[in-house]
Each structure stands twice: as structure tokens, then as C-alpha cells.
Amino acid sequence: MSGVSPESPLLSDEDLKSVFETVIHNSPDGVITVDSEGIIVFSNPAADRMFGYTSLEGKRVDLLVPESLRDDLKAKMREYRMEGEHELAGRVFETTSLRSDGTEFPVEMSLNPARTSRGLFLTSIIRDISERRRMEDEVHRREEQFRDLFENANDMIQAVDPEGRFVYVNRAWMETLGYTEDDIENLTIFDVIHPDKLDECREIFSRVMSGESIPLVQTAFITKDGKKIFVEGNVNVRIRDGEVEYSRAIFRDVTERLKFQRELERLASIVESS
């Protein structure tokens, strides 16, 4: 069995102090401790680098906060001095900090109050989340690009969950079929399939939800006012962790094309019979 044997002595207070000092000194997160007056009495190297100072010790903590947030900081410190409690203690929260060169940057931090024989202290563990925010902003930007692309596409785009409920439809889909966003919340895919094609589409839906991609689907939808339109497109699924999340399909309204083809066939038949 692994672990400490019964004969192993526990670490002494001095050894524990040495271990904790090493951990804090080498931590990638910033660690600062302030007294009840807001004076920094300890900072580790990561905190000094993060805020751009040779050493933060002896400086006021409000130097690390944008001017717009300083009044709130001072009010919370007054409350801490009076009541010995801080409303953000024990919570992880995000805020904005200030570097020595005046640039603001986002941080994630936690506050840990302590009462000692020398008074009240607050220790903050601070993480610079600038890179994470940049990644989140980039993901958001790309999502907006794709959403704009989908919303302005001429083709009908839809996503449907395994129960047949709509996860997403684009503007062209709603305009073609005449449904609103409120309507879609109460519809399933089978409500918009024309009765003539319902059995066929149920079978296709079952195949798709089993993970099959169908490169060409030809079917018919029914608009809100009861009009039959013919569509064709392709359907596949998004799978995550081995489970189907939703199907995604791109359809094109081919009603007019089919009418034209049928008219050509009719004319060809007349010519042939002549």
C-alpha cells in the first residue's frame, strides 16, 4: 500500500512554513496580502510581474485597481475594518485590474480574510485571464460570422434535436415557410413536412439520428398557410461523446424548378404525340 507509514514523522511547523513559502513563491498565480488599511504587506513574484512592479510590498492596493473601481474598493475595505467580514470572501469572481503602465486587464481572483494578533488581513489569489478573454472573444467573433452567414444565406438551414424539436432555423427558412420564432418553439420537424411525405421522412429521420449522413434528400414541406413546397438538400448529424446532439440540414426550395421541368415534359409529350 502507498502512503505515509505510521512511523513517518509529521512535518514540523517550520517545515510546513518552508513548503508553503516555496509553493507561493513559485505559484503562476499572483498572491498578495493587504492589511485592513489597504497596504500591501506581501506579494509573490508572479503578482509583481503581473502588475509590472519590482515589488508591490508597501504600496496601496488601490494602485492595482482602475480609478472607476476605487470608491467601491475603499467602501468594502471600510466595511471589512468595521465588521471583520468581506462580502466577496470565499468566492471566485472576475474583475479588472491595473498595471503600472496604466493598462487595464481582466483577472479572476478570490479573497481570503484572516484575523491575527496584528489585526485583519486579506489575501488575494489573482489570475490574469487576458488570454482566456481573447480566446472567448475570438470564439464569439467566429460564432457571429457564422451566424451572419447562415442568417443571410438564401438556402433554408435547420438543426433538429433527436426528439424532432428545432434547435435552429435561419431567416430564409422562416421566410420561405412563413413561420415566426414563436411558432417554431411549439413545432417539430414533422409538423412542417407535407402529409404526402411524412412516412418517408420519418424513415429518413430515423436513419439520420442513427448517425447516417444523407447527401441528397428530396421532400416537401408545408407552409404556415398550407401551401406545399418541394425542397432538396442534404442532412447529417453532430455527434458528441458518441451521442447524436442534433441533425443539421440545408434545403433549397425547388418548387419552381419542378414546375418548369414538368412543363417541359408536358411539351415534349405533346411534340412526341404529334
Side-chain angles (χ1 to χ4, degrees):
M1 294 180 61
S2 60
V4 179
S5 67
E7 293 78 16
S8 297
L10 295 176
L11 288 174
S12 65
D13 290 344
E14 191 65 31
D15 288 336
L16 280 173
K17 180 181 177 183
S18 176
V19 169
F20 291 144
E21 286 179 348
T22 300
V23 170
I24 292 172
H25 182 84
N26 294 305
S27 171
D29 294 332
V31 180
I32 65 172
T33 299
V34 302
D35 64 16
S36 59
E37 299 299 324
I39 303 299
I40 300 172
V41 296
F42 171 80
S43 65
N44 71 341
D48 296 335
R49 290 192 301 269
M50 186 184 302
F51 289 97
Y53 291 90
T54 304
S55 175
L56 288 168
E57 294 179 10
K59 294 180 171 54
R60 295 196 58 83
V61 71
D62 52 11
L63 285 177
L64 312 183
V65 177
E67 190 171 350
S68 60
L69 300 178
R70 288 177 186 173
D71 287 344
D72 184 58
L73 172 67
K74 291 176 181 177
K76 285 184 170 58
M77 289 302 296
R78 282 196 301 270
E79 181 180 343
Y80 182 53
R81 285 195 299 271
M82 293 173 59
E83 301 182 9
E85 296 180 357
H86 198 291
E87 64 180 60
L88 297 176
R91 292 167 49 187
V92 177
F93 60 95
E94 294 183 7
T95 186
T96 303
S97 288
L98 187 69
R99 292 192 177 92
S100 61
D101 62 4
T103 58
E104 297 182 6
F105 65 105
V107 296
E108 180 181 83
M109 68 164 57
S110 63
L111 295 180
N112 304 279
R115 184 185 296 273
T116 74
S117 58
R118 295 177 55 191
L120 297 173
F121 295 89
L122 273 176
T123 297
S124 301
I125 301 175
I126 309 165
R127 177 169 295 178
D128 183 348
I129 58 172
S130 301
E131 185 61 28
R132 189 175 82 190
R133 284 283 181 84
R134 278 193 290 270
M135 293 174 65
E136 290 172 350
D137 290 344
E138 177 64 16
V139 169
H140 180 71
R141 186 182 68 83
R142 290 181 179 272
E143 287 176 347
E144 287 298 314
Q145 286 179 336
F146 284 119
R147 184 173 293 276
D148 181 67
L149 175 64
F150 292 159
E151 287 300 307
N152 290 287
N154 293 322
D155 291 337
M156 303 162 61
I157 301 174
Q158 68 181 42
V160 178
D161 71 15
E163 283 72 45
R165 296 186 298 264
F166 289 101
V167 176
Y168 170 79
V169 297
N170 71 339
R171 176 186 54 80
W173 192 101
M174 289 188 286
E175 290 180 353
T176 302
L177 297 180
Y179 294 104
T180 66
E181 291 184 2
D182 290 338
D183 294 329
I184 292 164
E185 291 181 3
N186 301 309
L187 291 174
T188 70
I189 183 63
F190 305 111
D191 294 324
V192 301
I193 295 172
H194 195 274
D196 295 347
K197 298 288 187 178
L198 195 54
D199 290 341
E200 177 185 337
C201 283
R202 287 187 185 277
E203 190 267 335
I204 291 174
F205 185 78
S206 177
R207 289 164 54 195
V208 169
M209 287 301 167
S210 296
E212 182 178 347
S213 295
I214 302 180
L216 179 62
V217 174
Q218 294 176 318
T219 188
F221 287 163
I222 186 168
T223 65
K224 186 175 181 178
D225 59 8
K227 180 182 176 183
K228 183 179 183 179
I229 66 166
F230 294 92
V231 297
E232 67 178 27
N234 63 81
V235 186
N236 55 46
V237 292
R238 173 180 171 83
I239 297 176
R240 176 178 290 180
D241 299 328
E243 298 290 331
V244 172
E245 277 197 316
Y246 53 82
S247 69
R248 48 203 175 189
I250 301 177
F251 289 112
R252 178 164 296 176
D253 183 355
V254 294
T255 306
E256 293 302 318
R257 192 186 77 190
L258 290 179
K259 286 181 180 178
F260 184 68
Q261 288 177 342
R262 287 169 183 167
E263 182 63 16
L264 288 178
E265 291 169 359
R266 187 182 70 82
L267 292 173
S269 176
I270 292 173
V271 170
E272 185 176 351
S273 60
S274 299

